[in-house]
Amino acid sequence: MICDNLSVKNGHLYFAGRDTTELAARYGTPLYLMDEERLRRNCRVYREAMGRSFASALPLYASKALACRRVYEIIAEEGLGADVVSAGELYLARSAAFPMDKVFFHGNSKTDEEISFAMDCGVGYFIIDNADELAAVERIAAEKGIRQKALLRLTPGIDPHTFAAVSTGQVDSKFGVPIETGQALTFVRQALELPHIHLRGIHAHVGSQVFTSQVFYDTADIMLRFMAELRDKLGYTAEILNLGGGYGVRYTQSDPVVDIAGEIGKVAEHVKAGCAALGLPEPMVLMEPGRSIVADAGLTLYTVQSTKTIPGYRSYVSVDGGMTDNPRYALYHASYTIEPAGRMDDERDFVCTVGGRCCESGDMIQEDVALPRLQRGDLLAVLTTGAYNHSMASNYNTVARPPIVMLSGGRDYVAVRRETFADLAAREL
Ligand code: LLP
């Protein structure tokens, strides 16, 4: 099993110590299950390792991975901050009584309305993406008579696909302001001149599903060198360095297991050494893990509706969900592990494509999966779906989105209920 919260008993898949077939029978499918203990454990790994390793640090949960009120509550209880990317996420976080001073507002295209709303919520920090946003935040902060704490988002020039530092050429990204072109220096200078902006530091995010710390070493090197340049050229010492998103997770057996605590320790050593070499005081370090907080705390259950074999081609298994609750295969050809939740001990001699229910050929969950010869009514479990599934779900084909049921210490409870027909029609006039 790819994660230790999974096990098999009497041919049934157990998740967080619970029989998934019983939960499917009780709540119906498609169904998102979340293992609360695992979620909390993932939070603690970051909080404890960062607290132990850096002079000062805070992990921020990147809530785009899974934004719901219960998750914000748990994240707050575990002492993490949160990264939000829209007024909607901010609204949900606030409705969960998330401490606003620990919320960091991201996004490359914040509207005046969102900026104003975030300030009215008392959001801790804006992570300002560009010069237009900087001007808007200054203007709106002035109108409200406040001085807004902020970080500036910079692009360190590391290719997010290869994670290799790009030494030449244009830094091509819609996010942030590039260091390499000299624009970042101007951006910082402008921010320092604005009376209603309290610039506390800088931010960079290189990529997601990161398995090696090399990308964090490279990011830290470039950012620390830039901090030294800011000190030398502008007399400004950044107090906060935000290194962006967290480590990768295991979707399949072939994905590596990351010792996150150990890796964070190494990143901290690297940052310390870099600061010492450049004569910089150690900044407060932030990271923004999303996927590695929630992914393996989640699993999706489906019921098979049909199987179909096209001789000489392939076999299709269609389930009662699909790209509406998990668009990641359709979008990225993402890998997943699929288990026959009620037939775990059966021989897996049926190679098939697991497809969704939507009217779109690309609506698949996975291809070439070895499963038992399935029948209508069998259950399938797709593992590691806690991140970027519910948060990317849609109502395509006017399909209702599944509920999120939390599992905690032998207890199960609904955190987000299943959408109803009334919900689907709620915006109609
Ligand atoms: N911080 C920033 C600024 C980000 O853009 C992201 C992810 C994160 C943190 C969190 O990164 P993580 O720890 O989750 O790797 N929808 C895609 C993922 C998009 C990630 C976007 N940014 C997927 O389903 O794989």
Side-chain angles (χ1 to χ4, degrees):
M1 289 282 150
I2 55 173
C3 184
D4 60 12
N5 56 0
L6 296 157
S7 58
V8 177
K9 219 189 283 178
N10 302 328
H12 289 185
L13 178 69
Y14 277 62
F15 182 58
R18 303 294 304 280
D19 185 340
T20 56
T21 67
E22 275 177 21
L23 292 160
R26 178 156 347 138
Y27 292 102
T29 59
L31 174 63
Y32 296 119
L33 295 177
M34 290 296 296
D35 172 357
E36 182 175 332
E37 302 313 319
R38 182 76 200 189
L39 198 165
R40 289 183 183 276
R41 207 169 101 194
N42 292 340
C43 291
R44 286 173 203 158
V45 166
Y46 277 95
R47 192 170 49 74
E48 289 169 11
M50 289 181 71
R52 199 170 45 234
S53 310
F54 291 102
S56 160
L58 182 69
L60 312 176
Y61 167 58
S63 59
K64 74 205 78 179
L66 175 60
C68 74
R69 199 177 284 163
R70 183 64 190 130
V71 169
Y72 283 116
E73 283 170 2
I74 292 169
I75 298 293
E77 283 166 17
E78 294 301 331
L80 274 65
D83 137 12
V84 301
V85 291
S86 67
E89 285 184 355
L90 185 54
Y91 174 83
L92 263 191
R94 191 180 62 165
S95 76
F98 199 95
M100 283 294 131
D101 56 325
K102 284 169 131 179
V103 175
F104 288 66
F105 188 19
H106 256 295
N108 63 310
S109 198
K110 302 178 185 82
T111 65
D112 279 11
E113 289 72 23
E114 284 181 304
I115 292 170
S116 178
F117 175 69
M119 287 177 185
D120 293 344
C121 287
V123 81
Y125 290 79
F126 275 66
I127 301 188
I128 300 178
D129 180 273
N130 55 69
D132 287 326
E133 182 190 334
L134 179 64
V137 172
E138 167 64 20
R139 170 173 48 79
I140 296 168
E143 280 163 20
K144 294 185 189 289
I146 62 165
R147 191 158 177 251
Q148 178 61 54
K149 283 186 287 187
L151 307 182
L152 299 184
R153 179 160 183 173
L154 309 179
T155 15
I158 294 173
D159 185 329
H161 303 294
T162 59
F163 298 125
V166 181
S167 52
T168 54
Q170 188 63 37
V171 179
D172 181 3
S173 172
K174 74 168 180 171
F175 299 109
V177 174
I179 293 177
E180 189 186 301
T181 57
Q183 287 162 293
L185 188 65
T186 309
F187 193 30
V188 174
R189 184 184 286 120
Q190 284 167 344
L192 290 171
E193 282 165 1
L194 297 174
H196 300 92
I197 301 282
H198 180 189
L199 185 64
R200 298 288 312 278
I202 54 178
H203 168 282
H205 168 78
V206 173
S208 206
Q209 191 63 346
V210 168
F211 286 106
T212 133
S213 290
Q214 190 61 45
V215 61
F216 291 113
Y217 300 160
D218 293 345
T219 306
D221 287 348
I222 294 168
M223 298 296 272
L224 291 173
R225 271 204 305 273
F226 184 66
M227 280 163 62
E229 188 183 344
L230 293 179
R231 176 199 56 200
D232 298 343
K233 293 192 175 150
L234 306 180
Y236 169 68
T237 302
E239 301 154 78
I240 297 177
L241 172 60
N242 186 330
L243 293 174
Y247 288 93
V249 302
R250 296 189 85 203
Y251 288 105
T252 64
Q253 290 287 357
S254 59
D255 288 326
V257 177
V258 186
D259 167 17
I260 293 178
E263 292 301 318
I264 287 174
K266 290 194 243 165
V267 173
E269 287 307 313
H270 196 89
V271 168
K272 270 192 197 43
C275 289
L278 293 160
L280 286 169
E282 275 180 53
M284 178 184 193
V285 173
L286 309 179
M287 287 178 84
E288 299 168 333
R291 197 187 303 273
S292 49
I293 298 290
V294 285
D296 63 9
L299 166 161
T300 308
L301 291 173
Y302 299 105
T303 304
V304 170
Q305 302 302 316
S306 66
T307 65
K308 178 183 292 188
T309 296
I310 305 167
Y313 293 89
R314 60 168 131 179
S315 297
Y316 285 95
V317 170
S318 293
V319 297
D320 54 355
M323 64 189 288
T324 41
D325 56 79
N326 181 0
R328 296 191 70 255
Y329 190 78
L331 282 174
Y332 320 119
H333 271 239
S335 296
Y336 279 104
T337 301
I338 305 188
E339 300 286 352
R343 298 177 53 187
M344 294 297 286
D345 295 338
D346 291 11
E347 198 186 338
R348 301 188 186 192
D349 55 356
F350 179 55
V351 175
C352 58
T353 288
V354 177
R357 58 165 301 152
C358 293
C359 296
E360 177 137 342
S361 311
D363 172 25
M364 291 171 188
I365 303 286
Q366 204 66 203
E367 292 177 271
D368 295 325
V369 193
L371 291 167
R373 298 216 158 250
L374 296 164
Q375 291 172 353
R376 183 173 166 95
D378 280 338
L379 284 177
L380 291 182
V382 180
L383 311 183
T384 330
T385 57
Y388 304 113
N389 273 232
H390 177 268
S391 65
M392 294 177 77
S394 76
N395 290 127
Y396 182 46
N397 291 172
T398 317
V399 168
R401 285 171 293 184
I404 300 178
V405 169
M406 305 287 301
L407 308 175
S408 176
R411 208 166 64 87
D412 47 273
Y413 64 93
V414 178
V416 177
R417 66 165 171 76
R418 188 180 296 285
E419 259 178 338
T420 61
F421 289 152
D423 292 328
L424 292 172
R427 296 158 60 233
E428 306 279 338
L429 296 177

Short mmCIF file of all heavy atoms in Angstrom, two decimals, residues 137-170:
data_model
loop_
_atom_site.label_atom_id
_atom_site.label_comp_id
_atom_site.label_asym_id
_atom_site.label_seq_id
_atom_site.Cartn_x
_atom_site.Cartn_y
_atom_site.Cartn_z
N VAL A 137 -2.79 48.18 -4.03
CA VAL A 137 -2.77 47.91 -2.59
C VAL A 137 -2.42 49.21 -1.85
O VAL A 137 -3.04 49.55 -0.83
CB VAL A 137 -1.76 46.77 -2.24
CG1 VAL A 137 -1.59 46.62 -0.73
CG2 VAL A 137 -2.24 45.44 -2.85
N GLU A 138 -1.46 49.97 -2.37
CA GLU A 138 -1.09 51.25 -1.75
C GLU A 138 -2.31 52.19 -1.72
O GLU A 138 -2.64 52.77 -0.69
CB GLU A 138 0.07 51.88 -2.54
CG GLU A 138 0.37 53.34 -2.22
CD GLU A 138 0.82 53.60 -0.79
OE1 GLU A 138 1.28 52.65 -0.12
OE2 GLU A 138 0.68 54.76 -0.33
N ARG A 139 -2.98 52.31 -2.86
CA ARG A 139 -4.13 53.23 -2.96
C ARG A 139 -5.23 52.83 -1.99
O ARG A 139 -5.76 53.67 -1.24
CB ARG A 139 -4.63 53.23 -4.41
CG ARG A 139 -5.96 53.95 -4.63
CD ARG A 139 -6.32 54.07 -6.12
NE ARG A 139 -6.20 52.84 -6.88
CZ ARG A 139 -7.10 51.87 -6.89
NH1 ARG A 139 -8.20 51.95 -6.16
NH2 ARG A 139 -6.91 50.78 -7.63
N ILE A 140 -5.55 51.54 -1.95
CA ILE A 140 -6.69 51.11 -1.13
C ILE A 140 -6.31 51.15 0.37
O ILE A 140 -7.12 51.52 1.21
CB ILE A 140 -7.19 49.72 -1.60
CG1 ILE A 140 -7.71 49.85 -3.04
CG2 ILE A 140 -8.26 49.16 -0.67
CD1 ILE A 140 -7.97 48.54 -3.77
N ALA A 141 -5.05 50.82 0.66
CA ALA A 141 -4.60 50.92 2.06
C ALA A 141 -4.65 52.37 2.52
O ALA A 141 -5.05 52.67 3.66
CB ALA A 141 -3.19 50.36 2.20
N ALA A 142 -4.27 53.30 1.62
CA ALA A 142 -4.32 54.73 1.97
C ALA A 142 -5.75 55.16 2.24
O ALA A 142 -6.04 55.85 3.23
CB ALA A 142 -3.71 55.55 0.83
N GLU A 143 -6.68 54.71 1.39
CA GLU A 143 -8.10 55.05 1.58
C GLU A 143 -8.60 54.57 2.94
O GLU A 143 -9.40 55.22 3.59
CB GLU A 143 -8.95 54.38 0.50
CG GLU A 143 -8.94 55.11 -0.84
CD GLU A 143 -9.44 54.20 -1.99
OE1 GLU A 143 -10.14 53.19 -1.73
OE2 GLU A 143 -9.10 54.52 -3.13
N LYS A 144 -8.12 53.41 3.35
CA LYS A 144 -8.59 52.82 4.61
C LYS A 144 -7.76 53.31 5.80
O LYS A 144 -8.04 52.94 6.94
CB LYS A 144 -8.52 51.29 4.53
CG LYS A 144 -9.48 50.70 3.51
CD LYS A 144 -9.47 49.18 3.56
CE LYS A 144 -10.26 48.58 2.39
NZ LYS A 144 -11.72 48.78 2.52
N GLY A 145 -6.69 54.05 5.51
CA GLY A 145 -5.84 54.56 6.58
C GLY A 145 -5.07 53.47 7.30
O GLY A 145 -4.86 53.53 8.51
N ILE A 146 -4.64 52.45 6.58
CA ILE A 146 -3.84 51.39 7.20
C ILE A 146 -2.49 51.26 6.50
O ILE A 146 -2.29 51.78 5.40
CB ILE A 146 -4.55 50.00 7.15
CG1 ILE A 146 -4.78 49.54 5.70
CG2 ILE A 146 -5.83 50.02 7.94
CD1 ILE A 146 -5.13 48.07 5.56
N ARG A 147 -1.58 50.57 7.15
CA ARG A 147 -0.30 50.22 6.53
C ARG A 147 -0.31 48.70 6.40
O ARG A 147 -0.36 47.99 7.40
CB ARG A 147 0.85 50.70 7.42
CG ARG A 147 2.19 50.63 6.75
CD ARG A 147 3.18 51.60 7.42
NE ARG A 147 4.50 51.46 6.81
CZ ARG A 147 5.53 50.90 7.41
NH1 ARG A 147 5.43 50.46 8.66
NH2 ARG A 147 6.69 50.79 6.77
N GLN A 148 -0.32 48.22 5.16
CA GLN A 148 -0.52 46.79 4.89
C GLN A 148 0.82 46.05 4.84
O GLN A 148 1.70 46.44 4.08
CB GLN A 148 -1.27 46.62 3.56
CG GLN A 148 -1.50 45.18 3.17
CD GLN A 148 -2.33 44.41 4.18
OE1 GLN A 148 -3.43 44.82 4.53
NE2 GLN A 148 -1.80 43.29 4.68
N LYS A 149 0.91 44.99 5.64
CA LYS A 149 2.12 44.15 5.56
C LYS A 149 2.12 43.38 4.25
O LYS A 149 1.06 42.92 3.79
CB LYS A 149 2.16 43.17 6.73
CG LYS A 149 2.58 43.82 8.04
CD LYS A 149 2.75 42.80 9.14
CE LYS A 149 1.42 42.30 9.61
NZ LYS A 149 1.45 41.45 10.76
N ALA A 150 3.29 43.24 3.67
CA ALA A 150 3.35 42.59 2.36
C ALA A 150 4.69 41.89 2.13
O ALA A 150 5.71 42.24 2.73
CB ALA A 150 3.14 43.63 1.26
N LEU A 151 4.60 40.85 1.27
CA LEU A 151 5.80 40.26 0.67
C LEU A 151 5.68 40.52 -0.83
O LEU A 151 4.57 40.70 -1.34
CB LEU A 151 5.84 38.74 0.89
CG LEU A 151 5.70 38.19 2.31
CD1 LEU A 151 5.83 36.66 2.29
CD2 LEU A 151 6.76 38.79 3.23
N LEU A 152 6.79 40.49 -1.53
CA LEU A 152 6.74 40.64 -2.98
C LEU A 152 7.07 39.30 -3.61
O LEU A 152 8.03 38.63 -3.21
CB LEU A 152 7.74 41.69 -3.45
CG LEU A 152 7.54 43.10 -2.91
CD1 LEU A 152 8.55 44.05 -3.57
CD2 LEU A 152 6.11 43.61 -3.14
N ARG A 153 6.26 38.92 -4.62
CA ARG A 153 6.52 37.67 -5.31
C ARG A 153 7.52 37.88 -6.45
O ARG A 153 7.29 38.70 -7.34
CB ARG A 153 5.22 37.09 -5.87
CG ARG A 153 5.51 35.80 -6.61
CD ARG A 153 4.32 34.92 -6.79
NE ARG A 153 4.74 33.69 -7.44
CZ ARG A 153 3.96 32.64 -7.62
NH1 ARG A 153 2.72 32.66 -7.19
NH2 ARG A 153 4.41 31.56 -8.21
N LEU A 154 8.58 37.14 -6.38
CA LEU A 154 9.65 37.27 -7.36
C LEU A 154 9.83 35.95 -8.10
O LEU A 154 9.49 34.88 -7.59
CB LEU A 154 10.96 37.64 -6.66
CG LEU A 154 10.88 38.84 -5.71
CD1 LEU A 154 12.22 39.10 -5.07
CD2 LEU A 154 10.37 40.09 -6.43
N THR A 155 10.37 36.02 -9.32
CA THR A 155 10.68 34.78 -10.06
C THR A 155 12.18 34.60 -10.08
O THR A 155 12.91 35.43 -10.63
CB THR A 155 10.12 34.82 -11.50
OG1 THR A 155 9.76 36.15 -11.85
CG2 THR A 155 8.91 33.96 -11.63
N PRO A 156 12.62 33.51 -9.45
CA PRO A 156 14.07 33.31 -9.33
C PRO A 156 14.72 32.78 -10.59
O PRO A 156 15.94 32.68 -10.64
CB PRO A 156 14.19 32.31 -8.18
CG PRO A 156 12.91 31.56 -8.18
CD PRO A 156 11.86 32.50 -8.72
N GLY A 157 13.94 32.42 -11.61
CA GLY A 157 14.56 31.93 -12.85
C GLY A 157 14.94 30.47 -12.75
O GLY A 157 16.03 30.07 -13.16
N ILE A 158 14.04 29.67 -12.18
CA ILE A 158 14.25 28.22 -12.15
C ILE A 158 13.10 27.61 -12.94
O ILE A 158 11.93 27.93 -12.68
CB ILE A 158 14.27 27.69 -10.69
CG1 ILE A 158 15.49 28.26 -9.97
CG2 ILE A 158 14.27 26.17 -10.67
CD1 ILE A 158 15.53 27.96 -8.50
N ASP A 159 13.42 26.75 -13.89
CA ASP A 159 12.38 26.16 -14.74
C ASP A 159 11.52 25.20 -13.93
O ASP A 159 12.04 24.22 -13.38
CB ASP A 159 13.07 25.41 -15.90
CG ASP A 159 12.06 24.87 -16.90
OD1 ASP A 159 10.94 24.53 -16.47
OD2 ASP A 159 12.39 24.80 -18.09
N PRO A 160 10.22 25.45 -13.84
CA PRO A 160 9.37 24.60 -13.00
C PRO A 160 9.23 23.18 -13.54
O PRO A 160 8.82 22.28 -12.82
CB PRO A 160 8.02 25.32 -13.01
CG PRO A 160 8.05 26.21 -14.18
CD PRO A 160 9.48 26.54 -14.46
N HIS A 161 9.57 22.97 -14.80
CA HIS A 161 9.43 21.62 -15.36
C HIS A 161 10.64 20.76 -15.05
O HIS A 161 10.53 19.58 -14.75
CB HIS A 161 9.19 21.69 -16.87
CG HIS A 161 7.98 22.51 -17.21
ND1 HIS A 161 6.72 22.11 -16.85
CD2 HIS A 161 7.84 23.72 -17.80
CE1 HIS A 161 5.85 23.04 -17.23
NE2 HIS A 161 6.51 24.02 -17.79
N THR A 162 11.80 21.38 -15.11
CA THR A 162 13.02 20.59 -14.88
C THR A 162 13.59 20.89 -13.49
O THR A 162 14.46 20.21 -13.02
CB THR A 162 14.09 20.97 -15.91
OG1 THR A 162 14.36 22.36 -15.77
CG2 THR A 162 13.62 20.70 -17.32
N PHE A 163 13.08 21.96 -12.87
CA PHE A 163 13.59 22.44 -11.59
C PHE A 163 15.05 22.86 -11.68
O PHE A 163 15.75 22.95 -10.70
CB PHE A 163 13.40 21.41 -10.46
CG PHE A 163 11.96 21.09 -10.22
CD1 PHE A 163 11.52 19.79 -10.26
CD2 PHE A 163 11.05 22.09 -9.94
CE1 PHE A 163 10.18 19.49 -10.04
CE2 PHE A 163 9.72 21.80 -9.72
CZ PHE A 163 9.28 20.50 -9.77
N ALA A 164 15.52 23.09 -12.92
CA ALA A 164 16.91 23.52 -13.07
C ALA A 164 16.97 25.04 -13.17
O ALA A 164 16.08 25.67 -13.72
CB ALA A 164 17.50 22.90 -14.34
N ALA A 165 18.01 25.60 -12.60
CA ALA A 165 18.18 27.06 -12.69
C ALA A 165 18.43 27.43 -14.15
O ALA A 165 19.21 26.81 -14.84
CB ALA A 165 19.35 27.49 -11.83
N VAL A 166 17.71 28.43 -14.59
CA VAL A 166 17.87 28.89 -15.97
C VAL A 166 18.85 30.06 -15.91
O VAL A 166 18.56 31.09 -15.33
CB VAL A 166 16.52 29.37 -16.53
CG1 VAL A 166 16.66 29.82 -17.97
CG2 VAL A 166 15.48 28.28 -16.43
N SER A 167 20.00 29.86 -16.51
CA SER A 167 21.02 30.89 -16.33
C SER A 167 20.93 31.99 -17.38
O SER A 167 21.40 33.08 -17.18
CB SER A 167 22.41 30.26 -16.35
OG SER A 167 22.54 29.47 -17.51
N THR A 168 20.31 31.67 -18.50
CA THR A 168 20.20 32.70 -19.52
C THR A 168 18.75 32.80 -19.97
O THR A 168 17.93 31.93 -19.69
CB THR A 168 21.03 32.33 -20.77
OG1 THR A 168 20.62 31.04 -21.20
CG2 THR A 168 22.51 32.34 -20.48
N GLY A 169 18.48 33.86 -20.71
CA GLY A 169 17.17 33.95 -21.33
C GLY A 169 16.13 34.60 -20.44
O GLY A 169 16.33 34.80 -19.25
N GLN A 170 15.01 34.87 -21.01
CA GLN A 170 13.91 35.55 -20.36
C GLN A 170 13.23 34.63 -19.35
O GLN A 170 13.06 33.45 -19.60
CB GLN A 170 12.89 35.97 -21.43
CG GLN A 170 11.77 36.85 -20.94
CD GLN A 170 12.28 38.18 -20.41
OE1 GLN A 170 13.22 38.76 -20.94
NE2 GLN A 170 11.65 38.65 -19.36
#
